[in-house]
Amino acid sequence: MSAAEIFIQATGTDPDVIARGVVREAHERLRTGLAELQAVAGGDQSASPELVDFCLQELRQYLAAADRELYAPAAGDAETRLLVDALRIGAAALNAQIDDLAAAGAVEAARISAMIAAALDLHLQLEESLLLPVLAGLPSVDPSVLATHLRAYLAGEQVEEPAVIDVRKIARGGRHPRVFARYASLAPGEAFVLVNSHDPKPLRREFEAIHSGAFSWDYLQTGPEEWRVRIGRVALDA
């Protein structure tokens, strides 16, 4: 293990602690931004164009990032599936309220924005108090990748996911979580290539247990020194 891979659990060098801190930073930015824009608009009891734009852009971008980075990795686990379903229902309701906000008149928009703020606060509390603690124990979650992706969201950057993951370059213990995190980021019909020094049959068994019927597994090269597998997310039926 290299010096870069050494950390003390539950301290500032722990990847789980770092990832939780990044999520909470994103949450605080949403709460603060929404509250400040509502305070500015409060004097005339209307919603400003800036407030509407914040919900359409900033909030909606976070909801998409949370689904990809937080919900998708936990959706395949039996113990967290219901929680993820509830969070996705909450996110869909927030997105519907954002649509209503964009179409509303100024006074009605102020009422809707207040509803969004209350619903968002509850939604973020559920992420912090229920989802984040269980994510740390899931094999499909790589906290280092999670932190990197959410930092990119905070910076307003697009994350370019690799088309090829060579797990030979990843420390043992981090290989399967990295592969599952990459799978979670796939849209239906997309795929990536896994490179390994041996047949990754144990990884396939994990996929079958967690994502049965939802993934594809195609061997592109079968040794003797290098194995390549195309792993995809099955396209949804039209």
Side-chain angles (χ1 to χ4, degrees), residues 16 72-80 133-145 173-184 202-203 205-207 209-211:
D16 287 324
D77 189 274
E79 295 185 1
T80 54
V134 298
L135 279 176
L138 295 181
S140 58
V141 177
D142 183 339
S144 299
V145 174
R175 295 177 180 179
H176 287 200
R178 179 68 186 94
V179 173
F180 277 108
R182 180 66 182 94
Y183 172 82
L203 178 66
R205 288 195 291 269
E206 286 190 50
F207 264 95
I210 299 174
H211 299 293

Side-chain angles (χ1 to χ4, degrees), residues 27-47:
H27 287 181
E28 185 58 27
R29 190 167 85 172
L30 288 173
R31 289 186 174 111
T32 301
L34 194 55
E36 289 177 350
L37 288 169
Q38 285 182 315
V40 170
D44 58 6
Q45 295 299 309
S46 64

Side-chain angles (χ1 to χ4, degrees), residues 63-76 80-96 123 126-127 131 184-186 211 233:
L63 292 174
D67 189 90
R68 184 178 63 250
E69 309 299 346
L70 301 178
Y71 308 161
T80 54
R81 189 176 299 121
L82 291 179
L83 173 59
V84 169
D85 287 347
L87 286 167
R88 281 177 164 162
I89 290 170
L94 279 165
N95 272 309
H123 190 81
L126 291 174
E127 286 185 358
L131 183 62
S185 72
L186 295 176
H211 299 293
R233 182 183 290 273

Side-chain angles (χ1 to χ4, degrees), residues 30-62:
L30 288 173
R31 289 186 174 111
T32 301
L34 194 55
E36 289 177 350
L37 288 169
Q38 285 182 315
V40 170
D44 58 6
Q45 295 299 309
S46 64
S48 67
E50 292 79 12
L51 191 153
V52 176
D53 187 64
F54 180 88
C55 292
L56 284 169
Q57 301 298 324
E58 183 83 10
L59 176 51
R60 188 155 270 174
Q61 287 174 13
Y62 174 78

